[in-house]
Amino acid sequence: MEEKKVTKSLSTFFLILAIIVIAVMAIFMYKFYNEKIEANEKSAELQSQVSKLNETVSELQEKINKVSENNNVSSNNNGHKIDSNLAKEYLKIINKFENDDSENKITCDLIYFNNDNIPDLLIGNSGFWVSLYIGENGEVYNPIDQWAYGAGGNSGYKYQEKKGAILNYNSDFAGAISTKSISILNSKNKFDTLSVTQKGATDENTDYEEVNKALKAYGGYFFNDQKISEQEYNNKLKVFSVDIDENNFRELNGTRTTAEVKKQLQHI
């Protein structure tokens, strides 16, 4: 009788233990299932965020590509483009000069000379001459056609960006007579020029009699080669609206090879 009670008690114990084990396993499996669902949801959310990031990256890359295309004209083009037809015209001009350049001395550049967002073609032989071609309204103008410098007292030309302005110094009698000129591109793509010719630097070797004769003959103030008064000169200079401080001007001279500029134009 006692043995039967012990057996029954053991059976009950193992039954209860089995129920507890089953309950613990059920709780563990439920928790594991919930964690798996939560992990799947997080994975889906992360995948969605990755997809959005990829879309954002693609949009940014498109914008970068567009900026690169816009900057494909010049180092100082401010993001503006040259029309493909104008690029072709510039290429023709460069090719023509290259064909005439047996010594390979031609240099060129794309600059902003007049007040628009279309780069202009500068081409020349450093120390000898310079030319400028301006693209405007489907036409190409040539306001500077092989202007000579580097000899006869002409030190060269400087320009003020987007002002259409040129500064030039010239001298005679070993510097005893000096001429300063300011030229402004007008609406007809030609230059209006103000100049003043006066006594420059002198020394013991200066022939003052000849210098004074020369100053009497062609010294003074001029507008488009017509003599004017100093007051008229100052009034017209105000109309030009150009700061004539030399520090505001850049050398009007090509800084790159024709091959470099042609490569740039060919990608437009």
Side-chain angles (χ1 to χ4, degrees):
M1 190 71 174
E2 188 70 28
E3 187 177 345
K4 287 182 179 181
K5 287 182 179 180
V6 172
T7 302
K8 187 176 180 180
S9 296
L10 287 172
S11 297
T12 302
F13 171 75
F14 283 118
L15 178 61
I16 293 170
L17 184 60
I19 291 171
I20 292 172
V21 171
I22 291 170
V24 171
M25 289 182 65
I27 293 170
F28 177 77
M29 290 178 68
Y30 177 77
K31 186 178 180 181
F32 177 77
Y33 177 74
N34 284 343
E35 288 178 349
K36 186 176 181 181
I37 290 175
E38 187 177 343
N40 288 337
E41 289 177 350
K42 288 183 178 179
S43 177
E45 185 179 350
L46 285 172
Q47 187 61 46
S48 176
Q49 290 177 354
V50 169
S51 297
K52 289 180 180 178
L53 284 172
N54 286 334
E55 290 176 3
T56 303
V57 170
S58 297
E59 290 175 1
L60 287 173
Q61 187 61 52
E62 288 180 6
K63 290 180 180 179
I64 290 171
N65 291 340
K66 288 180 181 179
V67 170
S68 296
E69 290 174 2
N70 288 340
N71 288 335
N72 210 22
V73 176
S74 171
S75 59
N76 56 352
N77 66 5
N78 297 322
H80 301 108
K81 283 186 177 180
I82 296 179
D83 178 83
S84 58
N85 291 326
L86 179 58
K88 290 177 182 177
E89 291 301 314
Y90 283 174
L91 284 169
K92 289 180 183 177
I93 293 167
I94 294 173
N95 287 333
K96 178 182 179 300
F97 277 103
E98 281 185 326
N99 290 335
D100 296 336
D101 179 29
S102 59
E103 298 181 357
N104 195 30
K105 290 185 176 181
I106 300 297
T107 58
C108 55
D109 221 331
L110 294 171
I111 67 172
Y112 289 101
F113 184 77
N114 59 342
N115 189 24
D116 62 23
N117 295 323
I118 304 172
D120 308 303
L121 176 63
L122 177 67
I123 191 163
N125 188 337
S126 182
F128 293 92
W129 57 265
V130 65
S131 290
L132 179 70
Y133 295 84
I134 293 176
E136 188 175 71
N137 299 323
E139 300 289 336
V140 177
Y141 301 93
N142 181 207
I144 300 177
D145 185 17
Q146 292 193 332
W147 284 8
Y149 69 97
N154 189 335
S155 60
Y157 304 95
K158 295 184 176 183
Y159 78 102
Q160 196 167 131
E161 188 175 51
K162 285 200 169 186
K163 291 289 187 178
I166 289 180
L167 173 67
N168 173 250
Y169 290 97
N170 203 351
S171 63
D172 291 298
F173 294 92
I177 295 179
S178 175
T179 298
K180 179 180 180 179
S181 301
I182 299 290
S183 300
I184 296 289
L185 194 69
N186 60 33
S187 59
K188 297 180 181 179
N189 281 302
K190 296 184 180 298
F191 285 102
D192 289 322
T193 300
L194 278 170
S195 64
V196 53
T197 298
Q198 55 195 0
K199 185 176 290 186
T202 59
D203 58 30
E204 65 275 9
N205 296 317
T206 300
D207 188 337
Y208 289 100
E209 184 177 350
E210 288 298 319
V211 167
N212 289 331
K213 283 183 180 179
L215 285 172
K216 188 175 181 179
Y218 60 87
Y221 298 87
F222 298 85
F223 177 67
N224 291 343
D225 294 328
Q226 298 296 315
K227 195 164 187 177
I228 59 176
S229 68
E230 182 178 1
Q231 185 61 51
E232 288 175 312
Y233 173 89
N234 290 328
N235 290 340
K236 288 183 180 295
L237 195 58
K238 290 178 182 178
V239 174
F240 274 15
S241 299
V242 173
D243 187 344
I244 60 174
D245 184 345
E246 189 170 352
N247 292 323
N248 296 320
F249 287 79
R250 303 179 180 183
E251 294 290 340
L252 193 67
N253 188 25
T255 61
R256 296 190 288 167
T257 65
T258 55
E260 288 174 327
V261 176
K262 282 173 66 174
K263 183 177 180 180
Q264 201 168 347
L265 292 169
Q266 287 164 351
H267 285 83
I268 294 171

PDB file of all heavy atoms in Angstrom, residues 2-22:
ATOM      1  N   GLU A   2       1.863   1.244   0.850  1.00  0.00           N
ATOM      2  CA  GLU A   2       2.811   2.353   0.950  1.00  0.00           C
ATOM      3  C   GLU A   2       3.549   2.546  -0.358  1.00  0.00           C
ATOM      4  O   GLU A   2       3.794   3.685  -0.808  1.00  0.00           O
ATOM      5  CB  GLU A   2       3.822   2.033   2.075  1.00  0.00           C
ATOM      6  CG  GLU A   2       4.771   3.195   2.416  1.00  0.00           C
ATOM      7  CD  GLU A   2       4.039   4.311   3.086  1.00  0.00           C
ATOM      8  OE1 GLU A   2       3.009   4.071   3.752  1.00  0.00           O
ATOM      9  OE2 GLU A   2       4.479   5.481   2.932  1.00  0.00           O
ATOM     10  N   GLU A   3       3.892   1.473  -1.013  1.00  0.00           N
ATOM     11  CA  GLU A   3       4.631   1.514  -2.300  1.00  0.00           C
ATOM     12  C   GLU A   3       3.780   2.152  -3.372  1.00  0.00           C
ATOM     13  O   GLU A   3       4.271   2.892  -4.219  1.00  0.00           O
ATOM     14  CB  GLU A   3       5.020   0.092  -2.679  1.00  0.00           C
ATOM     15  CG  GLU A   3       5.936   0.053  -3.914  1.00  0.00           C
ATOM     16  CD  GLU A   3       6.368  -1.365  -4.208  1.00  0.00           C
ATOM     17  OE1 GLU A   3       6.229  -2.262  -3.356  1.00  0.00           O
ATOM     18  OE2 GLU A   3       6.890  -1.537  -5.322  1.00  0.00           O
ATOM     19  N   LYS A   4       2.476   1.874  -3.369  1.00  0.00           N
ATOM     20  CA  LYS A   4       1.571   2.443  -4.376  1.00  0.00           C
ATOM     21  C   LYS A   4       1.475   3.953  -4.201  1.00  0.00           C
ATOM     22  O   LYS A   4       1.428   4.709  -5.176  1.00  0.00           O
ATOM     23  CB  LYS A   4       0.194   1.816  -4.255  1.00  0.00           C
ATOM     24  CG  LYS A   4       0.134   0.367  -4.755  1.00  0.00           C
ATOM     25  CD  LYS A   4      -1.276  -0.167  -4.658  1.00  0.00           C
ATOM     26  CE  LYS A   4      -1.353  -1.620  -5.195  1.00  0.00           C
ATOM     27  NZ  LYS A   4      -2.719  -2.174  -5.129  1.00  0.00           N
ATOM     28  N   LYS A   5       1.459   4.440  -2.964  1.00  0.00           N
ATOM     29  CA  LYS A   5       1.380   5.874  -2.698  1.00  0.00           C
ATOM     30  C   LYS A   5       2.624   6.590  -3.209  1.00  0.00           C
ATOM     31  O   LYS A   5       2.565   7.679  -3.792  1.00  0.00           O
ATOM     32  CB  LYS A   5       1.231   6.119  -1.204  1.00  0.00           C
ATOM     33  CG  LYS A   5      -0.159   5.772  -0.665  1.00  0.00           C
ATOM     34  CD  LYS A   5      -0.223   6.102   0.830  1.00  0.00           C
ATOM     35  CE  LYS A   5      -1.619   5.773   1.380  1.00  0.00           C
ATOM     36  NZ  LYS A   5      -1.714   6.073   2.816  1.00  0.00           N
ATOM     37  N   VAL A   6       3.785   5.944  -2.990  1.00  0.00           N
ATOM     38  CA  VAL A   6       5.029   6.543  -3.459  1.00  0.00           C
ATOM     39  C   VAL A   6       5.047   6.630  -4.981  1.00  0.00           C
ATOM     40  O   VAL A   6       5.437   7.637  -5.577  1.00  0.00           O
ATOM     41  CB  VAL A   6       6.247   5.725  -2.956  1.00  0.00           C
ATOM     42  CG1 VAL A   6       7.541   6.224  -3.609  1.00  0.00           C
ATOM     43  CG2 VAL A   6       6.354   5.847  -1.450  1.00  0.00           C
ATOM     44  N   THR A   7       4.614   5.574  -5.604  1.00  0.00           N
ATOM     45  CA  THR A   7       4.581   5.540  -7.080  1.00  0.00           C
ATOM     46  C   THR A   7       3.649   6.611  -7.627  1.00  0.00           C
ATOM     47  O   THR A   7       3.953   7.310  -8.604  1.00  0.00           O
ATOM     48  CB  THR A   7       4.121   4.143  -7.563  1.00  0.00           C
ATOM     49  OG1 THR A   7       5.017   3.186  -7.051  1.00  0.00           O
ATOM     50  CG2 THR A   7       4.106   4.077  -9.069  1.00  0.00           C
ATOM     51  N   LYS A   8       2.494   6.764  -6.944  1.00  0.00           N
ATOM     52  CA  LYS A   8       1.519   7.767  -7.389  1.00  0.00           C
ATOM     53  C   LYS A   8       2.081   9.172  -7.224  1.00  0.00           C
ATOM     54  O   LYS A   8       1.913  10.041  -8.080  1.00  0.00           O
ATOM     55  CB  LYS A   8       0.245   7.606  -6.574  1.00  0.00           C
ATOM     56  CG  LYS A   8      -0.897   8.499  -7.077  1.00  0.00           C
ATOM     57  CD  LYS A   8      -2.169   8.210  -6.270  1.00  0.00           C
ATOM     58  CE  LYS A   8      -3.287   9.101  -6.793  1.00  0.00           C
ATOM     59  NZ  LYS A   8      -4.538   8.855  -6.046  1.00  0.00           N
ATOM     60  N   SER A   9       2.773   9.374  -6.118  1.00  0.00           N
ATOM     61  CA  SER A   9       3.376  10.698  -5.864  1.00  0.00           C
ATOM     62  C   SER A   9       4.445  11.030  -6.905  1.00  0.00           C
ATOM     63  O   SER A   9       4.544  12.163  -7.399  1.00  0.00           O
ATOM     64  CB  SER A   9       4.009  10.726  -4.469  1.00  0.00           C
ATOM     65  OG  SER A   9       3.026  10.568  -3.492  1.00  0.00           O
ATOM     66  N   LEU A  10       5.248  10.035  -7.241  1.00  0.00           N
ATOM     67  CA  LEU A  10       6.277  10.246  -8.273  1.00  0.00           C
ATOM     68  C   LEU A  10       5.646  10.556  -9.617  1.00  0.00           C
ATOM     69  O   LEU A  10       6.130  11.426 -10.377  1.00  0.00           O
ATOM     70  CB  LEU A  10       7.168   9.008  -8.375  1.00  0.00           C
ATOM     71  CG  LEU A  10       8.153   8.803  -7.224  1.00  0.00           C
ATOM     72  CD1 LEU A  10       8.827   7.456  -7.341  1.00  0.00           C
ATOM     73  CD2 LEU A  10       9.186   9.920  -7.176  1.00  0.00           C
ATOM     74  N   SER A  11       4.584   9.857  -9.934  1.00  0.00           N
ATOM     75  CA  SER A  11       3.904  10.083 -11.213  1.00  0.00           C
ATOM     76  C   SER A  11       3.372  11.513 -11.274  1.00  0.00           C
ATOM     77  O   SER A  11       3.476  12.209 -12.292  1.00  0.00           O
ATOM     78  CB  SER A  11       2.755   9.073 -11.387  1.00  0.00           C
ATOM     79  OG  SER A  11       3.260   7.772 -11.428  1.00  0.00           O
ATOM     80  N   THR A  12       2.806  11.928 -10.141  1.00  0.00           N
ATOM     81  CA  THR A  12       2.260  13.303 -10.092  1.00  0.00           C
ATOM     82  C   THR A  12       3.376  14.329 -10.239  1.00  0.00           C
ATOM     83  O   THR A  12       3.253  15.333 -10.961  1.00  0.00           O
ATOM     84  CB  THR A  12       1.530  13.517  -8.747  1.00  0.00           C
ATOM     85  OG1 THR A  12       0.490  12.555  -8.617  1.00  0.00           O
ATOM     86  CG2 THR A  12       0.929  14.914  -8.675  1.00  0.00           C
ATOM     87  N   PHE A  13       4.499  14.051  -9.562  1.00  0.00           N
ATOM     88  CA  PHE A  13       5.649  14.958  -9.630  1.00  0.00           C
ATOM     89  C   PHE A  13       6.164  15.116 -11.061  1.00  0.00           C
ATOM     90  O   PHE A  13       6.395  16.216 -11.548  1.00  0.00           O
ATOM     91  CB  PHE A  13       6.757  14.439  -8.704  1.00  0.00           C
ATOM     92  CG  PHE A  13       8.054  15.184  -8.861  1.00  0.00           C
ATOM     93  CD1 PHE A  13       8.214  16.472  -8.331  1.00  0.00           C
ATOM     94  CD2 PHE A  13       9.111  14.606  -9.558  1.00  0.00           C
ATOM     95  CE1 PHE A  13       9.404  17.136  -8.483  1.00  0.00           C
ATOM     96  CE2 PHE A  13      10.291  15.294  -9.722  1.00  0.00           C
ATOM     97  CZ  PHE A  13      10.454  16.559  -9.177  1.00  0.00           C
ATOM     98  N   PHE A  14       6.337  13.957 -11.712  1.00  0.00           N
ATOM     99  CA  PHE A  14       6.849  14.001 -13.101  1.00  0.00           C
ATOM    100  C   PHE A  14       5.851  14.653 -14.038  1.00  0.00           C
ATOM    101  O   PHE A  14       6.229  15.310 -15.001  1.00  0.00           O
ATOM    102  CB  PHE A  14       7.205  12.587 -13.565  1.00  0.00           C
ATOM    103  CG  PHE A  14       8.499  12.087 -13.001  1.00  0.00           C
ATOM    104  CD1 PHE A  14       8.532  10.962 -12.171  1.00  0.00           C
ATOM    105  CD2 PHE A  14       9.697  12.745 -13.250  1.00  0.00           C
ATOM    106  CE1 PHE A  14       9.723  10.516 -11.641  1.00  0.00           C
ATOM    107  CE2 PHE A  14      10.897  12.274 -12.730  1.00  0.00           C
ATOM    108  CZ  PHE A  14      10.918  11.162 -11.912  1.00  0.00           C
ATOM    109  N   LEU A  15       4.574  14.470 -13.753  1.00  0.00           N
ATOM    110  CA  LEU A  15       3.542  15.098 -14.587  1.00  0.00           C
ATOM    111  C   LEU A  15       3.616  16.613 -14.461  1.00  0.00           C
ATOM    112  O   LEU A  15       3.570  17.345 -15.459  1.00  0.00           O
ATOM    113  CB  LEU A  15       2.159  14.586 -14.166  1.00  0.00           C
ATOM    114  CG  LEU A  15       0.959  15.198 -14.924  1.00  0.00           C
ATOM    115  CD1 LEU A  15       1.066  14.890 -16.418  1.00  0.00           C
ATOM    116  CD2 LEU A  15      -0.355  14.663 -14.367  1.00  0.00           C
ATOM    117  N   ILE A  16       3.727  17.025 -13.174  1.00  0.00           N
ATOM    118  CA  ILE A  16       3.829  18.481 -12.940  1.00  0.00           C
ATOM    119  C   ILE A  16       5.106  19.024 -13.572  1.00  0.00           C
ATOM    120  O   ILE A  16       5.113  20.103 -14.198  1.00  0.00           O
ATOM    121  CB  ILE A  16       3.814  18.770 -11.431  1.00  0.00           C
ATOM    122  CG1 ILE A  16       2.432  18.422 -10.848  1.00  0.00           C
ATOM    123  CG2 ILE A  16       4.140  20.236 -11.148  1.00  0.00           C
ATOM    124  CD1 ILE A  16       2.391  18.443  -9.336  1.00  0.00           C
ATOM    125  N   LEU A  17       6.210  18.269 -13.432  1.00  0.00           N
ATOM    126  CA  LEU A  17       7.481  18.687 -14.029  1.00  0.00           C
ATOM    127  C   LEU A  17       7.380  18.777 -15.534  1.00  0.00           C
ATOM    128  O   LEU A  17       7.890  19.730 -16.153  1.00  0.00           O
ATOM    129  CB  LEU A  17       8.575  17.685 -13.629  1.00  0.00           C
ATOM    130  CG  LEU A  17       9.993  18.030 -14.100  1.00  0.00           C
ATOM    131  CD1 LEU A  17      10.456  19.378 -13.528  1.00  0.00           C
ATOM    132  CD2 LEU A  17      10.972  16.928 -13.717  1.00  0.00           C
ATOM    133  N   ALA A  18       6.694  17.832 -16.132  1.00  0.00           N
ATOM    134  CA  ALA A  18       6.517  17.841 -17.593  1.00  0.00           C
ATOM    135  C   ALA A  18       5.712  19.049 -18.027  1.00  0.00           C
ATOM    136  O   ALA A  18       6.009  19.700 -19.045  1.00  0.00           O
ATOM    137  CB  ALA A  18       5.849  16.550 -18.032  1.00  0.00           C
ATOM    138  N   ILE A  19       4.656  19.360 -17.221  1.00  0.00           N
ATOM    139  CA  ILE A  19       3.814  20.522 -17.552  1.00  0.00           C
ATOM    140  C   ILE A  19       4.639  21.804 -17.478  1.00  0.00           C
ATOM    141  O   ILE A  19       4.547  22.692 -18.330  1.00  0.00           O
ATOM    142  CB  ILE A  19       2.605  20.583 -16.602  1.00  0.00           C
ATOM    143  CG1 ILE A  19       1.649  19.414 -16.900  1.00  0.00           C
ATOM    144  CG2 ILE A  19       1.866  21.902 -16.756  1.00  0.00           C
ATOM    145  CD1 ILE A  19       0.540  19.240 -15.885  1.00  0.00           C
ATOM    146  N   ILE A  20       5.491  21.882 -16.422  1.00  0.00           N
ATOM    147  CA  ILE A  20       6.342  23.069 -16.257  1.00  0.00           C
ATOM    148  C   ILE A  20       7.302  23.203 -17.429  1.00  0.00           C
ATOM    149  O   ILE A  20       7.497  24.294 -18.000  1.00  0.00           O
ATOM    150  CB  ILE A  20       7.106  22.993 -14.924  1.00  0.00           C
ATOM    151  CG1 ILE A  20       6.129  23.133 -13.749  1.00  0.00           C
ATOM    152  CG2 ILE A  20       8.169  24.096 -14.858  1.00  0.00           C
ATOM    153  CD1 ILE A  20       6.763  22.872 -12.395  1.00  0.00           C
ATOM    154  N   VAL A  21       7.932  22.083 -17.821  1.00  0.00           N
ATOM    155  CA  VAL A  21       8.874  22.087 -18.948  1.00  0.00           C
ATOM    156  C   VAL A  21       8.176  22.534 -20.219  1.00  0.00           C
ATOM    157  O   VAL A  21       8.697  23.341 -21.000  1.00  0.00           O
ATOM    158  CB  VAL A  21       9.516  20.701 -19.118  1.00  0.00           C
ATOM    159  CG1 VAL A  21      10.316  20.652 -20.428  1.00  0.00           C
ATOM    160  CG2 VAL A  21      10.426  20.387 -17.938  1.00  0.00           C
ATOM    161  N   ILE A  22       6.955  21.969 -20.429  1.00  0.00           N
ATOM    162  CA  ILE A  22       6.199  22.341 -21.642  1.00  0.00           C
ATOM    163  C   ILE A  22       5.860  23.823 -21.619  1.00  0.00           C
ATOM    164  O   ILE A  22       5.962  24.523 -22.632  1.00  0.00           O
ATOM    165  CB  ILE A  22       4.922  21.485 -21.744  1.00  0.00           C
ATOM    166  CG1 ILE A  22       5.303  20.025 -22.042  1.00  0.00           C
ATOM    167  CG2 ILE A  22       3.991  22.021 -22.822  1.00  0.00           C
ATOM    168  CD1 ILE A  22       4.140  19.064 -21.932  1.00  0.00           C
TER     169      ILE A  22
END
